[in-house]
Every structure is written in C-alpha cells, then in structure tokens.
Amino acid sequence: MSGTEEAPPGVDVSVPSAARLYDYYLGGELNYPADRAAGEEVVRKVPEIRDVAWSNRGFLQRAVRWVAEQGVRQFVDIGAGLPTQNNTHQVARAVRPDARVVYVDHDPIVQVHANALLAGDEQTAVVLRDLRDAEAVLDDPATRRLIDFSEPVAMMLVAVTHFLSDEEDPWGLVARYLRRLVPGSHLILSAGTQDFQPEWRVRAVQEIYARSSTGVHTRTREQIERYFDGLEIVPPYEGAKAEVTYVGFWGAEDAEEADSDGSRWSYCAVARVP
Ligand SMILES: C[S@@+](CC[C@H](N)C(=O)[O-])C[C@H]1O[C@@H](n2cnc3c(N)ncnc32)[C@H](O)[C@@H]1O
C-alpha cells in the first residue's frame, strides 16, 4: 500500500493493527504510515523483529507441511494475517492437492486482500470473525461448507494467543476449538514469550502495542505448555524430545543453525489429538 495509501472501505488505518505490523516486519506492502511508524519504534527496541516474524512464519510453513504429510487435508488457520508468501493453502496443497483451508481473522483488511488472492478458489474461504467466539467461527457457514469435523482437522493458532489477556482465558478458548476434533487431528500453535528477554524490552513492545488495535501478552514456557494439555506433542525435529520449543527449532535440519535471537521470542509445538 506504499503506493496509493488508499484504504479499503471499512478499514481504519489511523491506528496500527497487529496484522499490518506483522506485514511490515515481513517486508510486505499492505501497511500504512501509522503501522510503519509503530513498526519502526519496535525495530528500535527489538532490532531482530524481522527475524522474529520470519522465524514464526517458517515454523507455520514447516508445521503445515508436516501435518499434511500425516494425511490431514483440512486446515482452520485462526488469526491468519495478511496474505504473504507460501500461505497455508499453498503449503498444504503442495503435499495434498485436495487440501481445504478456512482462514479466520477479525481485521477487515485481511478479508479484502485474502479474498482478492483466493477469488475463484472453492477450496478455501476467509471468515471475518473475532476468534474469541470459537463457536461462531466453527459454525460459520464457510467453515461448515469446507470442514468436515468427522475427519481430522489441523487447528492453527499461530502467533495469535498473545493478543489475548489472561482474563480472556486463552487456554479455555483453545480447548473450545479442540473439543470438536476427532483423534488424528492436530493443534499447531506458537505464542510470544518473554523468557529469553530483558524485562525492559518486553515492556517497550507492550507499550507500543497498547497503542495499536490489540495489546500484546507474552507468556512463560509453562503457560504456553498448558495450551497442549491432554494432547500428544510431537518431537520438533528428528532426535528431539517431544516438547514445546522455540519456533526456529521446529522442523529444523540442523538445530544449532536454526537457533537465532528472533526465534527465541516465540515458543511453539505441534500436537496430536489422541
Ligand atoms: C502476528 S499475526 C499472525 C499471522 C499468522 N498466523 C502467522 O503466524 O504468520 C496475528 C493475526 O491475528 C489476528 N488477530 C488478533 N486478534 C484477533 C482476534 N481477536 N480475532 C481474530 N483475529 C485476531 C490479527 O489481525 C493478525 O492478523
């Protein structure tokens, strides 16, 4: 959007949004001056922020590919973000050409751009909803049309639960999404953490996001592990223990090389519904 700066109808570009900030970190062009100003502030406090975003995106892509290789062909990508390179449907279809994907986001700008990208694609849909209403997301006509809950589903909450406060009970919310899933389904989840950061940096990021459309709530490893209660976490890479890990390590061919400062801002896991 650097060219025209003209906002799609219904989109308020005067307040930075999580979707457009993330697009900015990824080097996208679907952001506006307010997003870029806030994004630059984040860059000053967290110079590795682009690596934070790309490490997380790499996890999403490797995890989707792996889950598709397990035979799963239905994906519900919650807090999907603006379209970027190798979106969920593209990664999944490289393995399973019959993959069906529902993208969910509450930011109308995501719907505008995702609909443009997906025009004519009957096997994907974009649902404009707040993820906090799990039942409305799962019962949306588009979800019902594309997702058969009697078959395994990959439920994806990648880099999104940290936009919910403890009071909003993100753990209970994830459980509500999982309730409908049959054995063989998977949860793909990553979330921001403060564990590896000095307190001042986390506070600085929180202050910048407090001025955006959504605050940010990083969590400890233990808190993020709780999302996977009752599930079977899969080993993040060959020879590794089955546990929550930093995003860079997941699916890594060489764990040492995969480590980076950016990766250590987010924990993740892929887990199977038993
Ligand atoms: C950091 S982006 C992550 C995008 C993608 N999942 C990824 O990891 O590459 C977070 C996305 O979650 C969306 N989001 C935040 N809070 C939400 C809510 N309450 N309901 C639906 N979407 C939400 C934002 O609009 C944004 O597009």
Side-chain angles (χ1 to χ4, degrees):
M1 286 298 105
S2 317
T4 64
E5 300 294 332
E6 205 173 294
V11 175
D12 177 5
V13 294
S14 65
V15 177
S17 89
R20 297 190 305 259
L21 277 166
Y22 188 65
D23 176 71
Y24 177 72
Y25 307 146
L26 291 173
E29 296 207 325
L30 305 177
N31 48 74
Y32 293 83
D35 308 306
R36 295 195 281 277
E40 274 309 307
E41 267 190 80
V42 175
V43 171
R44 281 196 289 279
K45 304 291 181 189
V46 183
E48 72 275 22
I49 191 68
R50 294 192 172 90
D51 179 33
V52 175
W54 277 112
S55 301
N56 176 68
R57 200 68 209 163
F59 158 67
L60 181 151
Q61 292 164 350
R62 293 188 298 276
V64 166
R65 189 174 64 221
W66 184 85
V67 171
E69 283 166 358
Q70 309 315 300
V72 176
R73 57 176 180 173
Q74 312 188 90
F75 295 78
V76 183
D77 187 348
I78 301 166
L82 281 155
T84 178
Q85 296 159 25
N86 287 326
N87 289 286
T88 297
H89 70 288
Q90 292 154 327
V91 176
R93 280 199 196 143
V95 181
R96 298 235 23 167
D98 59 345
R100 299 190 296 274
V101 178
V102 174
Y103 290 109
V104 180
D105 208 287
H106 69 162
D107 193 327
I109 199 161
V110 172
Q111 196 189 37
V112 170
H113 290 290
N115 275 341
L117 175 78
L118 300 170
D121 183 337
E122 295 297 314
Q123 299 297 92
T124 58
V126 185
V127 169
L128 180 63
R129 284 200 185 271
D130 193 310
L131 70 96
R132 287 171 291 192
D133 192 347
E135 291 70 30
V137 168
L138 296 171
D139 291 329
D140 187 278
T143 314
R144 290 214 160 255
R145 179 172 67 80
L146 287 179
I147 306 295
D148 173 358
F149 284 97
S150 69
E151 268 188 37
V153 173
M155 201 55 81
M156 302 170 58
L157 288 132
V158 182
V160 70
T161 53
H162 52 236
F163 296 115
L164 303 179
S165 65
D166 285 3
E167 291 67 40
E168 291 172 300
D169 186 18
W171 300 277
L173 180 68
V174 171
R176 276 156 60 202
Y177 278 110
L178 298 179
R179 213 171 281 157
R180 296 225 188 147
L181 304 187
V182 295
S185 296
H186 288 75
L187 173 64
I188 300 176
L189 184 146
S190 69
T193 184
Q194 69 274 35
D195 279 6
F196 194 68
Q197 310 302 329
E199 212 183 307
W200 70 265
R201 290 180 97 202
V202 178
R203 212 175 320 116
V205 173
Q206 282 168 341
E207 279 166 16
I208 299 166
Y209 272 82
R211 287 183 263 123
S212 80
S213 55
T214 28
V216 77
H217 308 268
T218 56
R219 297 198 161 88
T220 63
R221 180 189 181 103
E222 198 185 19
Q223 289 172 317
I224 292 169
E225 280 170 348
R226 281 177 49 206
Y227 290 125
F228 301 94
D229 277 358
L231 305 179
E232 294 166 357
I233 293 182
V234 305
Y237 56 91
E238 222 177 299
K241 266 174 65 183
E243 61 182 8
V244 163
T245 185
Y246 290 122
V247 282
F249 292 135
W250 206 96
E253 280 172 19
D254 180 327
E256 270 173 37
E257 258 182 40
D259 195 10
S260 72
D261 289 346
S263 162
R264 288 177 177 244
W265 275 92
S266 315
Y267 285 121
C268 71
V270 174
R272 190 176 176 281
V273 175

